[in-house]
Amino acid sequence: EPEVTQTPSHQVTQMGQEVILRCVPISNHLYFYWYRQILGQKVEFLVSFYNNEISEKSEIFDDQFSVERPDGSNFTLKIRSTKLEDSAMYFCASRKEGGAGNIQYFGAGTRLSVL
Amino acid sequence: AQSVTQLGSHVSVSEGALVLLRCNYSSSVPPYLFWYVQYPNQGLQLLLKYTTGATLVKGINGFEAEFKKSETSFHLTKPSAHMSDAAEYFCAVSAGTGFQKLVFGTGTRLLVSP
């Protein structure tokens, strides 16, 4: 069964460094998402991406964050200058099309630790 | 605006006992509701969803949930717990229109003892 793949599974970085989290969505999917979960808190929406542009973003997704689909397969989340509070599990998700209730398929996540 | 409340961060049951995980939602538009499960070191896997129609929905692994509009609830149940059901369970809501971002609850960890 097709799956969403995220790499790396764990990323450790120093505060102020740039990180790029990578995702390979399911190949025929059109809608892409990033969510994050700070330890002990709920999964929070960050951004959705469709037709090569951001379709919606949350207040968390400030200028330090960016997303890109550099080719036909990858979907990346970049954090330009990491802060301690960016430490979290980041989940990528993709969805096939705009049908009602079409489900989002999630990757296993990247655990980001900012020291 | 939408929100989800999951009562109980941890629920413990014995193998063979009824599983009941509670979810209440708030939504200004007709909601689409989902239950996802997360096993250790894995991604979020859809258990079941409610969009429209029948309010009792059945999912994988013997789970089911009932949409009760009057109670704004979407509780997850399973008649008989199995050891393999031990995992984290997330209830989520979306607007069903637009780009359909998911709004999640805080999750409930299900512990199953022999």
Side-chain angles (χ1 to χ4, degrees):
Chain A
E1 184 177 327
E3 60 181 21
V4 176
T5 305
Q6 290 187 244
T7 55
S9 58
H10 190 191
Q11 173 87 50
V12 181
T13 190
Q14 296 291 323
M15 189 170 55
Q17 294 297 303
E18 174 184 287
V19 295
I20 298 176
L21 308 183
R22 303 182 189 280
C23 171
V24 179
I26 296 173
S27 63
N28 61 348
H29 285 195
L30 302 176
Y31 296 79
F32 312 108
Y33 307 81
W34 283 101
Y35 295 82
R36 80 172 186 189
Q37 184 182 29
I38 295 171
L39 189 64
Q41 299 184 24
K42 63 177 64 179
V43 178
E44 302 172 290
F45 167 78
L46 290 178
V47 65
S48 59
F49 191 85
Y50 171 73
N51 200 25
N52 282 321
E53 61 183 25
I54 291 173
S55 48
E56 186 175 359
K57 60 182 181 180
S58 72
E59 62 276 8
I60 302 168
F61 194 89
D62 62 21
D63 291 344
Q64 294 297 316
F65 292 87
S66 62
V67 290
E68 191 178 32
R69 188 156 162 80
D71 52 41
S73 60
N74 291 283
F75 180 52
T76 62
L77 173 69
K78 182 192 290 186
I79 308 175
R80 190 167 62 196
S81 178
T82 50
K83 303 188 282 285
L84 294 176
E85 54 265 38
D86 293 327
S87 295
M89 180 73 89
Y90 289 80
F91 293 105
C92 174
S94 68
R95 182 164 64 90
K96 187 174 184 179
E97 57 188 54
N102 249 313
I103 66 172
Q104 296 180 27
Y105 292 84
F106 283 78
T110 293
R111 180 169 298 284
L112 177 64
S113 300
V114 182
L115 306 179
Chain B
Q2 299 171 305
S3 65
V4 171
T5 301
Q6 290 184 244
L7 291 177
S9 59
H10 292 79
V11 170
S12 294
V13 300
S14 299
E15 193 171 21
L18 171 72
V19 175
L20 171 61
L21 304 183
R22 299 179 186 274
C23 172
N24 289 87
Y25 70 90
S26 172
S27 179
S28 55
V29 297
Y32 287 2
L33 294 158
F34 306 82
W35 276 99
Y36 281 85
V37 61
Q38 184 181 30
Y39 299 101
N41 301 316
Q42 295 186 29
L44 298 167
Q45 178 184 4
L46 183 73
L47 272 180
L48 48 79
K49 67 176 182 179
Y50 167 79
T51 54
T52 58
T55 56
L56 181 64
V57 292
K58 296 185 185 298
I60 62 172
N61 302 336
F63 284 93
E64 61 183 38
E66 186 171 10
F67 170 62
K68 292 187 177 181
K69 185 179 178 180
S70 61
E71 299 178 8
T72 61
S73 69
F74 190 59
H75 301 331
L76 181 70
T77 61
K78 182 174 180 177
S80 177
H82 192 272
M83 296 294 289
S84 61
D85 295 327
E88 186 97 20
Y89 292 81
F90 295 93
C91 182
V93 63
S94 80
T97 58
F99 297 98
Q100 299 186 30
K101 69 179 182 187
L102 293 170
V103 176
F104 285 87
T106 50
T108 298
R109 182 166 298 280
L110 177 65
L111 307 169
V112 183
S113 56

